[in-house]
């Protein structure tokens, strides 16, 4: 029956995870039970289509076939499982609707599916409802409801909810401002979440909600940068530039500004430009200064855009300036 097919699929999947058994064997069994109407198989097949996978070069998987990513088929299978009251599928289908992934975007309908999933105790759905209340997606903006949902999910160890709750408390959004509690939540999430590492670092560097600890702040920035947080390299660069928590080192500062710039951070691009303009940590190079200044302006840095406009008044006029 369907339960045996589902169990076979899970066994194949576990074998693949442990011994790199061919992935398509697991997908084959998930499809079998999905086509027979088993909600668990439909959900798992949806996950497969959402992620896709390449053909493997591993010797135990010789001849394995790729499964192309298909957001539309993923959404279809999530929809089928959600209609059978599969709580995780309800969450995934809601996310499809909220983002327009594989389906026409429908935030109101997405929010309704989040509610169904949350009622079944899926805490990530509770967190996502908080995001909707915060941003007014599929429902009216309601800051207190956002905080309430973030807190419920955070107490059930949803790490993203911990960070979201901390950010609300830090700025007094939907609840009284409480920087100490915000720092406490950042600490709880900081071993697993790069944003928590970065934001805890900012709080410690500035002495907000906790005793100032500039050395620990830089350690947290480095940890966040290691996990590819886009803003962390800029803060590390600023720390080295001014000797905050680390010895002053202008060349090291430029190296970190470069890393931030390469990740698309417009503020880091401006710092790179200014470094070449003044010879901070490098030799003065006005051509590279102008190139990085232009990149920073194009990436949305307002200060860089004004500097470019002052250097090239004709460009300003061309954009409707005086």
């Amino acid at each position: 029956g369907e339960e045996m097919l589902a169990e076979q699929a899970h066994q194949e999947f576990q074998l693949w995870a442990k011994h790199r058994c061919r992935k398509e064997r697991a997908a084959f069994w998930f499809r079998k039970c999905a086509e027979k109407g088993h909600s668990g198989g439909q959900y798992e097949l949806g996950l497969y289509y959402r992620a896709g996978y390449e053909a493997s070069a591993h010797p135990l998987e010789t001849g394995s076939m790729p499964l192309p990513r298909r957001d539309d088929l993923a959404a279809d299978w999530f929809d089928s499982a959600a209609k059978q009251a599969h709580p995780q599928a309800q969450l995934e289908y809601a996310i499809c609707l909220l983002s327009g992934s594989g389906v026409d975007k429908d935030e109101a309908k997405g929010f309704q599916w989040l509610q169904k999933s949350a009622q079944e105790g899926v805490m990530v759905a509770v967190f996502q409802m908080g995001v909707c209340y915060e941003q007014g997606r599929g429902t009216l903006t309601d800051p207190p409801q956002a905080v309430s949902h973030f807190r419920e999910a955070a107490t059930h160890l949803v790490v993203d909810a911990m960070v979201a709750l901390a950010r609300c408390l830090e700025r007094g959004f939907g609840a009284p401002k409480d920087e100490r509690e915000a720092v406490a939540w950042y600490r709880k999430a900081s071993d697993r979440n790069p944003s928590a590492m970065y934001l805890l670092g900012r709080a410690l560097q500035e002495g907000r909600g906790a005793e100032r600890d500039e050395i620990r702040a830089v350690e947290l920035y480095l940890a966040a940068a290691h996990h590819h947080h886009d803003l962390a390299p800029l803060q590390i660069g600023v720390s080295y530039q001014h000797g905050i928590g680390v010895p002053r080192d202008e060349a090291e500062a430029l190296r970190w500004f470069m890393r931030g710039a390469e990740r698309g951070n417009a503020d880091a691009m401006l710092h790179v430009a200014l470094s070449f303009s003044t010879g901070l940590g490098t030799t003065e190079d006005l051509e590279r200064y102008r190139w990085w200044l232009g990149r920073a302006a194009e990436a949305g840095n307002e200060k860089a855009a004004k500097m470019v406009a002052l250097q090239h008044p004709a460009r300003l006029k061309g954009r409707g300036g005086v």
Side-chain angles (χ1 to χ4, degrees), residues 269-282:
M269 292 175 192
L270 177 59
H271 276 278
V272 171
L274 295 175
S275 296
F276 284 118
S277 172
T278 60
L280 181 72
T282 186

Side-chain angles (χ1 to χ4, degrees), residues 7-44:
E7 181 60 29
Q8 179 69 40
H10 280 287
Q11 288 176 4
E12 292 275 1
F13 185 78
Q14 288 165 0
L15 278 171
W16 164 63
K18 189 172 182 180
H19 303 295
R20 295 186 60 85
C21 174
R22 285 165 56 176
K23 292 180 283 290
E24 66 263 25
R25 288 296 299 165
F28 170 82
W29 287 112
F30 285 137
R31 182 182 300 281
K32 280 285 187 182
C33 55
E35 290 173 346
K36 288 183 175 291
H38 188 275
S39 63
Q42 292 168 345
Y43 166 69
E44 296 285 357

Side-chain angles (χ1 to χ4, degrees), residues 49 53 89 113 171 189 228 233 253 270 284 304:
Y49 274 117
Y53 56 75
W113 280 111
R171 68 185 195 270
H228 311 293
L270 177 59
E284 186 177 314

Side-chain angles (χ1 to χ4, degrees), residues 42-52 68-81 89 92-93 96 101-103:
Q42 292 168 345
Y43 166 69
E44 296 285 357
L45 191 57
L47 293 178
Y48 261 67
Y49 274 117
R50 187 180 65 185
R69 175 173 173 164
R70 288 285 303 273
D71 290 338
D72 56 335
L73 293 178
D76 285 345
W77 286 116
F78 289 146
D79 180 21
S80 296
E92 296 299 340
Y93 187 51
C96 291
S101 175
V103 292

Side-chain angles (χ1 to χ4, degrees), residues 58-137:
H58 192 278
L60 294 180
E61 297 184 10
T62 303
S64 68
M65 299 294 291
L67 181 74
R69 175 173 173 164
R70 288 285 303 273
D71 290 338
D72 56 335
L73 293 178
D76 285 345
W77 286 116
F78 289 146
D79 180 21
S80 296
K83 287 174 179 173
Q84 295 190 69
H86 190 289
Q88 291 290 343
Q90 290 171 340
L91 167 64
E92 296 299 340
Y93 187 51
I95 291 172
C96 291
L97 290 164
L98 288 164
S99 63
S101 175
V103 292
D104 292 333
K105 190 172 183 177
D106 188 335
E107 293 183 341
K109 190 175 177 182
F111 184 76
Q112 292 170 4
W113 280 111
L114 284 180
Q115 287 178 306
K116 293 177 185 292
S117 181
Q119 287 167 2
E120 296 300 319
V122 179
M123 285 297 118
V124 175
V126 174
F127 160 65
Q128 290 291 346
M129 284 181 66
V131 174
C132 289
Y133 280 122
E134 181 183 26
Q135 300 176 359
R137 300 183 62 194

Side-chain angles (χ1 to χ4, degrees), residues 31-313:
R31 182 182 300 281
K32 280 285 187 182
C33 55
E35 290 173 346
K36 288 183 175 291
H38 188 275
S39 63
Q42 292 168 345
Y43 166 69
E44 296 285 357
L45 191 57
L47 293 178
Y48 261 67
Y49 274 117
R50 187 180 65 185
Y53 56 75
E54 302 294 332
S56 176
H58 192 278
L60 294 180
E61 297 184 10
T62 303
S64 68
M65 299 294 291
L67 181 74
R69 175 173 173 164
R70 288 285 303 273
D71 290 338
D72 56 335
L73 293 178
D76 285 345
W77 286 116
F78 289 146
D79 180 21
S80 296
K83 287 174 179 173
Q84 295 190 69
H86 190 289
Q88 291 290 343
Q90 290 171 340
L91 167 64
E92 296 299 340
Y93 187 51
I95 291 172
C96 291
L97 290 164
L98 288 164
S99 63
S101 175
V103 292
D104 292 333
K105 190 172 183 177
D106 188 335
E107 293 183 341
K109 190 175 177 182
F111 184 76
Q112 292 170 4
W113 280 111
L114 284 180
Q115 287 178 306
K116 293 177 185 292
S117 181
Q119 287 167 2
E120 296 300 319
V122 179
M123 285 297 118
V124 175
V126 174
F127 160 65
Q128 290 291 346
M129 284 181 66
V131 174
C132 289
Y133 280 122
E134 181 183 26
Q135 300 176 359
R137 300 183 62 194
T139 186
L140 296 175
T141 303
D142 190 332
Q145 278 291 339
V147 170
S148 175
H149 282 74
F150 290 152
R151 189 178 293 279
E152 182 182 357
T155 56
H156 285 82
L157 306 181
V158 177
V159 177
D160 287 342
M162 296 178 188
V163 178
L165 175 59
R167 297 189 75 159
C168 290
L169 294 167
E170 198 171 34
R171 68 185 195 270
F173 178 86
K177 187 173 182 177
D178 190 333
E179 291 180 334
R180 288 192 174 278
E181 188 183 357
V183 165
W185 283 111
Y186 284 143
R187 287 191 195 277
K188 288 182 180 180
S190 63
D191 62 336
R192 289 168 285 175
N193 185 285
S195 291
M197 297 171 193
Y198 172 77
L199 293 167
L200 178 58
R202 291 297 302 265
L204 294 179
Q205 192 171 67
E206 297 167 13
R208 291 183 290 100
E211 186 177 348
R212 188 185 299 272
D213 189 340
E214 294 172 346
I215 294 174
R216 178 60 180 150
V218 175
E219 291 173 351
L220 287 161
Y221 294 150
L222 288 166
H226 179 73
H227 288 87
H228 311 293
H229 191 278
D230 289 339
L231 301 180
L234 172 63
Q235 285 305 127
I236 298 169
V238 170
S239 298
Y240 274 109
Q241 183 180 25
H242 298 287
I244 303 171
V246 288
R248 184 171 179 174
D249 186 331
E250 294 176 347
E252 187 69 5
L254 177 57
R255 189 172 77 85
W256 282 102
F257 290 147
M258 276 288 197
R259 285 187 63 175
E262 288 164 359
R263 292 184 186 179
N265 186 302
D267 292 340
M269 292 175 192
L270 177 59
H271 276 278
V272 171
L274 295 175
S275 296
F276 284 118
S277 172
T278 60
L280 181 72
T282 186
T283 55
E284 186 177 314
D285 188 330
L286 294 182
E287 185 175 342
R288 294 180 78 180
Y289 156 69
R290 284 188 288 269
W291 190 85
W292 278 107
L293 187 66
R295 279 199 63 187
E298 290 169 3
N301 185 284
E302 293 184 6
K303 183 177 179 180
K306 290 177 182 178
M307 293 170 71
V308 169
L310 288 172
Q311 292 178 7
H312 304 280

